[in-house]
Amino acid sequence: MALPPGISFDSDLRVTLPDRFNVAVPFIDRHIAEGCGAKPAIRTAQETVTYGELAERVNRAGNVLLAAGLQPGDRLLMVVKDCPAFFYLFWGAIKAGIVPIPPNTLLRAPDYAYMFADSGCRLVVYSSEFAGEIEPALVQAPVEALTVDAFLAEMAKASAALDARLASPGDDCFWLYSSGSTGRPKGAVHRQRDMVVSSELYGVRVLGVKDGDVSFSAAKLFFAYGLGNGMTFPLWTGSTAVLDDRRPTPDTTFETIERFRPTLYYGVPALYAAQLAALEKGGRDLSSVRACVSAGEALPAEIFRRWKERTGTIILDGIGSTEALHIFIGNRLDDHKPGTSGRPVPGYDVRILDEAGKPVPAGGSGRLWIRGESTAGYYWNKPEKTAETMVDGWLDTGDTYRQDDEGYLIYDGRSDDMLKVGGIWCSPVEIEGCLIGHGAVLEAAIVGHPDEHALIKPKAFVVLKQGGDGGPALTEELMTLCRKTLAPYKYPRWVEYVAELPKTATGKIQRFKLRA
Ligand code: 3UK
């Protein structure tokens, strides 16, 4: 498929972009210029939005933001469910030179209050479903706010024409928040060029996304993985995205697949495991799907094997990150190995370093660093974190990897204590803080523990003020407390009562000892 005018990749897969451009043009407006205005860009259970309608609504959204007083460079925080308005806000902001930030929609009021203040955003737009967390956050950290419905009503009155504000390929374009081990999320600032690079290098050249494809991502748009799968890859290729705003379960995802017949399906390992359990109870029609993709956490080889046996389709595991924007090591339809993350995506460089920063000997395990043109420029307001993580164009993934003798990369766990639950970050410190808030708890430590599908879930080790074992009633109380206070996926699935926690001389909890 032809690249948009002015954009090319050389033989080393380095991108060339016009010095002055706006990335909304190749992703949105280009399709109108190419005569594809009548093609469906988005399909949902409620509506179909063509490329022509999308381009017009993006313009209207940009005009509403400008009329609200937002200036180029200002931030828009958008806590929006998977629906067409997500596209209008994200691209309307970008086209007007405003920086959209779509955070995880499963967070709690204190998380949002932190992000309002940290980002210094000028406006918050939120789906009314999230009012219960957003409205208290607005009280804690006041900033102007509108619901998506109110925003859509303003759009209806706005002009349908908007000139793209020109920028350089390296200018700030949008941010994504990523959780750190201290529990405070960091805004990874992505540039104008980054979506072009990930869409072309992984979307087109690895997955082969093309104009006839229909993509459905069970992973939501707020997740960099879902943002690529369910928005940027389809728009880059002029193909169709299916959106479903419901919580992804085997029932909702199978129903969406049967109804919209996607050719590409994107999930996370925990969902594939749940879907497999549901498939044992009855056949579902997945015949439209030519490729399934998994990311967020490692896909156990057993899930790959059972899925292939049941559905005849393979799942392509790949590792990506918020900072890299999308997958940089991945399996391919014609080259895959279960139980591995695959090979480096052409256009990305990888190296595995030992503690001293030297390359490990062949087959050795070490810290994975990557380099590629889609990586974030810096973390907002966190110069030390930026300097530690982003060094001479290389990005520290925080993951431990090794390469087998065929060149496939194998995940060996995290270098820090962070957990992935259902593909989403979970900080042990945050869950521990919640448990310590219970009157009976003296200390707590959280580690990852494999469930029946070999997928990691939080497990708590708890020391009670009174000592001894809390029994099932207290365990239930602690789980409920976490479910109520934290994003619900973060609650500990097991609680073990212990007399004391292993600590260093300086009093730091040695979580690695509890994992053993
Ligand atoms: C872990 C994996 C083993 C790994 C993401 C695809 O997950 C994404 O971004 P996050 O910032 O997390 C990044 C971290 O998650 N991880 C992700 N995928 C795998 N570990 N095997 C995998 N296949 O620790 C990594 O550092 O939430 C995934 C595309 C875009 C993304 N942002």
Side-chain angles (χ1 to χ4, degrees):
M1 196 167 33
L3 286 163
I7 302 182
S8 60
F9 285 80
D10 68 16
S11 56
D12 291 329
L13 299 174
R14 300 287 171 256
V15 69
T16 302
L17 292 157
D19 291 339
R20 305 294 295 160
F21 88 124
N22 184 300
V23 71
V25 175
F27 278 91
I28 308 278
D29 298 308
R30 158 171 54 137
H31 303 295
I32 316 308
E34 290 177 356
C36 299
K39 265 188 82 173
I42 308 172
R43 296 193 65 197
T44 75
Q46 290 77 36
E47 61 182 320
T48 296
V49 179
T50 65
Y51 273 94
E53 288 164 335
L54 176 62
E56 184 195 309
R57 292 176 198 174
V58 163
N59 289 350
R60 289 178 184 275
N63 284 322
V64 172
L65 295 171
L66 294 171
L70 277 79
Q71 311 265 335
D74 281 349
R75 273 81 61 205
L76 161 72
L77 212 114
M78 41 180 288
V79 192
V80 178
K81 65 184 183 183
D82 279 22
C83 66
F86 187 108
F87 286 44
Y88 312 155
L89 282 154
F90 188 85
W91 292 101
I94 289 175
K95 196 169 176 188
I98 293 157
V99 178
I101 311 174
N104 182 340
T105 62
L106 301 170
L107 300 179
R108 298 303 176 127
D111 304 312
Y112 293 121
Y114 172 79
M115 288 177 184
F116 298 169
D118 177 66
S119 66
C121 59
R122 282 285 309 274
L123 180 69
V124 175
V125 179
Y126 61 100
S127 302
S128 48
E129 286 84 348
F130 309 129
E133 303 298 330
I134 298 298
E135 284 165 10
L138 289 166
V139 175
Q140 289 170 48
V143 44
E144 230 182 288
L146 272 179
T147 62
V148 168
D149 291 335
F151 192 88
L152 289 169
E154 291 301 312
M155 273 173 52
K157 297 180 265 171
S159 160
L162 173 67
D163 287 329
R165 180 169 169 105
L166 298 184
S168 296
D171 284 351
D172 294 358
C173 183
F174 65 101
W175 305 3
L176 297 171
Y177 269 99
S178 178
S179 311
S181 46
T182 57
R184 278 315 193 184
K186 325 178 271 288
V189 181
H190 278 286
R191 296 166 290 195
Q192 289 273 335
R193 79 161 69 92
D194 300 355
M195 290 185 284
V196 170
V197 171
S198 62
S199 301
E200 183 65 23
L201 295 186
Y202 183 74
V204 172
R205 298 188 187 220
V206 170
L207 284 184
V209 183
K210 54 186 186 312
D211 57 7
D213 275 319
V214 176
S215 301
F216 171 50
S217 178
K220 297 293 181 193
L221 295 170
F222 67 72
F223 188 11
Y225 175 49
L227 191 80
N229 310 336
M231 186 176 77
T232 61
F233 300 172
L235 295 179
W236 181 246
T237 52
S239 61
T240 304
V242 172
L243 300 182
D244 181 5
D245 63 11
R246 294 173 297 178
R247 190 170 71 83
T249 64
D251 273 343
T252 65
T253 50
F254 287 143
E255 187 194 303
T256 301
I257 292 171
E258 286 171 345
R259 172 159 180 191
F260 293 100
R261 304 199 48 81
T263 54
L264 297 164
Y265 171 66
Y266 302 83
V268 297
L271 182 58
Y272 283 113
Q275 287 177 311
L276 269 171
L279 284 174
E280 322 259 289
K281 293 194 208 98
R284 304 292 300 240
D285 179 11
L286 308 183
S287 60
S288 62
V289 178
R290 72 174 169 84
C292 296
V293 181
S294 174
E297 59 183 316
L299 180 75
E302 182 60 12
I303 296 182
F304 174 97
R305 196 188 57 70
R306 286 174 49 216
W307 185 267
K308 186 172 175 202
E309 195 179 276
R310 275 268 152 201
T311 70
T313 321
I314 63 171
I315 308 177
L316 303 174
D317 187 11
I319 174 177
S321 75
T322 306
E323 289 81 352
L325 191 55
H326 213 276
I327 291 173
F328 47 82
I329 296 173
N331 286 284
R332 321 173 61 116
L333 282 167
D334 58 358
D335 179 12
H336 57 272
K337 185 166 177 180
T340 79
S341 304
R343 299 183 197 276
V345 170
Y348 292 88
D349 302 314
V350 309
R351 53 188 203 186
I352 301 176
L353 302 180
D354 66 16
E355 304 264 291
K358 298 262 178 309
V360 296
S365 196
R367 199 160 176 126
L368 179 75
W369 289 73
I370 63 141
R371 184 168 65 180
E373 291 185 306
S374 63
T375 58
Y378 61 102
Y379 292 118
W380 182 255
N381 256 335
K382 302 234 176 342
E384 298 85 29
K385 203 69 206 159
T386 302
E388 251 170 61
T389 314
M390 301 165 189
V391 184
D392 298 333
W394 289 88
L395 176 75
D396 178 6
T397 62
D399 295 304
T400 305
Y401 261 84
R402 88 191 118 90
Q403 191 159 28
D404 73 11
D405 49 15
E406 297 172 293
Y408 294 99
L409 286 139
I410 301 169
Y411 177 70
D412 267 343
R414 289 287 303 170
S415 321
D416 56 22
D417 291 325
M418 292 293 283
L419 314 179
K420 273 306 193 87
V421 178
I424 311 184
W425 280 130
C426 234
S427 158
V429 178
E430 186 190 6
I431 308 171
E432 290 158 6
C434 176
L435 291 169
I436 293 165
H438 189 284
V441 174
L442 178 65
E443 288 183 307
I446 293 284
V447 300
H449 188 78
D451 70 5
E452 73 273 23
H453 306 294
L455 295 168
I456 295 298
K457 299 283 179 302
K459 170 175 181 180
F461 289 87
V462 170
V463 182
L464 295 177
K465 288 177 181 162
Q466 307 259 316
D469 191 311
L474 183 62
T475 295
E476 189 51 46
E477 240 178 77
L478 293 175
M479 290 180 177
T480 307
L481 173 70
C482 291
R483 253 197 238 111
K484 269 195 355 228
T485 321
L486 307 173
Y489 59 89
K490 295 176 179 171
Y491 79 92
R493 312 303 197 268
W494 307 270
V495 178
E496 186 173 328
Y497 297 94
V498 290
E500 59 182 339
L501 296 175
K503 297 211 186 92
T504 62
T506 57
K508 195 174 178 292
I509 300 172
Q510 292 168 306
R511 296 190 189 82
F512 70 92
K513 291 201 171 154
L514 295 166
R515 278 196 291 267

